[in-house]
Amino acid sequence: GRNGGEYYTPRPLIKTIVEVVKPQLGNKVYDGAVGSAGFLCEAYDYMRGSKDLTVQEYETLQQRTFYGKEKKSLAYIIGIMNMILHGIEAPNILHTNTLGENISDIQEKDRVDVVLANPPFGGSERAEIQENFPVRTGETAYLFLQHFIKILKKQGRAGVVIKTTFLSNGDAKTLRKEFLEECNLHTILVLPAKVFTAGVQTVVLFFEKGSSTRNIWFYEFKTEKNLGKTNPITEKHLEEFRQLQTVKADSAISWTVSIDDVDKE
């Protein structure tokens, strides 16, 4: 209904993000803003179909692979139900405020191999919540990004949706600098405004933790007809992106930027 846009990321976009990040059997896959659990369900389908699973591999996939947290009660219930309906028999989802956890308390045992998420953005977090993070900001999405970086293992991989303004806003300058130094931001998918019902301009950040950024491959997703309720995003829309991303090829709507050639801030 009216609140749908708060909880849902279009399934074709989720599927594309999962295919680029490529979660592997044995990985811990995490979404700290789980919503309807679309990312975890799609990752489950992707991993289950990757090969013929042994009994032990299937047990690992079911019980020790998918983890998440969700603050809002309705979204939490929807997410649990969605995972069960997709065949995940025992969802490891906590009903809690992810941002209420001080990220300095995250230990090695808590870390994950893969983060897939579309965290809420545009929120204004209280001062006591901001104190849980090295870079204090009221922007919810920037706090989530710090959490995701911290909880990833070294060489961990991520696909995270965030507002386009993260790439240029002055209030994200310190976070951007630390992010580029700590992670290899290898791909940015630029999305049209109407991908989400709220009409916010967003990008998808694909990155790996453990090495600094050297080159960023950009792809600007464009359509001849504006997206919307009558023309939703489809897998076909994103087919060219998936093909070009594997080799990070340049085209009329994709290009590579060397971090040495731009102001890192």
Side-chain angles (χ1 to χ4, degrees):
R2 286 180 300 176
N3 293 328
E6 185 177 357
Y7 303 133
Y8 304 115
T9 306
R11 188 53 60 107
L13 179 60
I14 293 176
K15 189 169 184 178
T16 295
I17 293 171
V18 170
E19 288 180 6
V20 171
V21 177
K22 295 181 173 62
Q24 304 296 311
L25 290 169
N27 286 168
K28 278 188 174 181
V29 181
Y30 172 74
D31 184 350
V34 86
S36 64
F39 280 100
L40 299 184
C41 291
E42 196 59 54
Y44 171 74
D45 289 344
Y46 175 86
M47 296 166 79
R48 187 186 59 180
S50 63
K51 59 175 289 228
D52 291 331
L53 304 182
T54 65
V55 172
Q56 188 174 6
E57 286 171 336
Y58 183 74
E59 184 182 315
T60 297
L61 192 65
Q62 281 285 344
Q63 300 178 11
R64 296 181 294 279
T65 299
F66 302 103
Y67 298 84
K69 296 173 185 172
E70 176 53 48
K71 175 183 176 181
K72 297 193 174 182
S73 299
L74 177 58
Y76 171 72
I77 293 167
I78 291 171
I80 291 284
M81 181 179 69
N82 197 20
M83 291 180 75
I84 291 171
L85 290 174
H86 273 80
I88 304 170
E89 296 160 10
N92 297 304
I93 307 300
L94 298 178
H95 186 197
T96 185
N97 182 5
T98 303
L99 302 182
E101 176 184 5
N102 192 312
I103 68 169
S104 63
D105 293 335
I106 295 174
Q107 306 296 316
E108 189 60 35
K109 64 179 176 60
D110 304 317
R111 292 199 163 93
V112 300
D113 302 283
V114 171
V115 168
L116 301 166
N118 177 12
F121 31 73
S124 182
E125 297 297 333
R126 304 186 310 275
E128 56 265 35
I129 292 291
Q130 296 182 39
E131 289 174 6
N132 291 326
F133 299 87
V135 180
R136 297 182 184 182
T137 170
E139 171 54 64
T140 309
Y142 298 169
L143 299 179
F144 266 106
L145 186 58
Q146 291 179 71
H147 171 80
F148 294 147
I149 295 167
K150 182 72 172 182
I151 207 166
L152 271 175
K153 294 178 181 177
K154 199 171 181 182
Q155 275 81 55
R157 310 179 305 288
V160 176
V161 181
I162 201 164
K163 283 197 300 184
T164 305
T165 49
F166 170 71
L167 303 179
S168 57
N169 266 16
D171 59 354
K173 179 172 148 183
T174 301
L175 177 55
R176 273 198 309 273
K177 189 170 185 296
E178 292 187 4
F179 177 40
L180 294 174
E181 289 172 354
E182 193 171 345
C183 298
N184 175 22
L185 174 61
H186 57 82
T187 298
I188 295 179
L189 169 60
V190 183
L191 297 169
K194 296 291 186 176
V195 167
F196 296 97
T197 53
V200 179
Q201 189 79 41
T202 56
V203 295
V204 185
L205 308 177
F206 294 94
F207 59 93
E208 297 176 357
K209 181 177 175 179
S211 60
S212 58
T213 301
R214 287 289 169 261
N215 296 294
I216 305 172
W217 184 73
F218 285 82
Y219 180 93
E220 187 172 7
F221 168 32
K222 294 180 177 180
T223 58
E224 293 181 7
K225 183 180 176 184
N226 289 338
L227 297 177
K229 286 185 178 180
T230 58
N231 183 40
I233 188 172
T234 65
E235 285 185 50
K236 190 171 182 181
H237 281 130
L238 293 160
E239 185 177 347
E240 183 188 48
F241 165 73
R242 290 194 300 270
Q243 291 174 351
L244 293 178
Q245 197 279 332
T246 57
V247 292
K248 298 184 176 60
D250 288 347
S251 73
I253 52 174
S254 63
W255 63 95
T256 299
V257 174
S258 170
I259 205 71
D260 296 326
D261 297 336
V262 297
D263 183 347
K264 290 185 182 180
E265 297 178 349

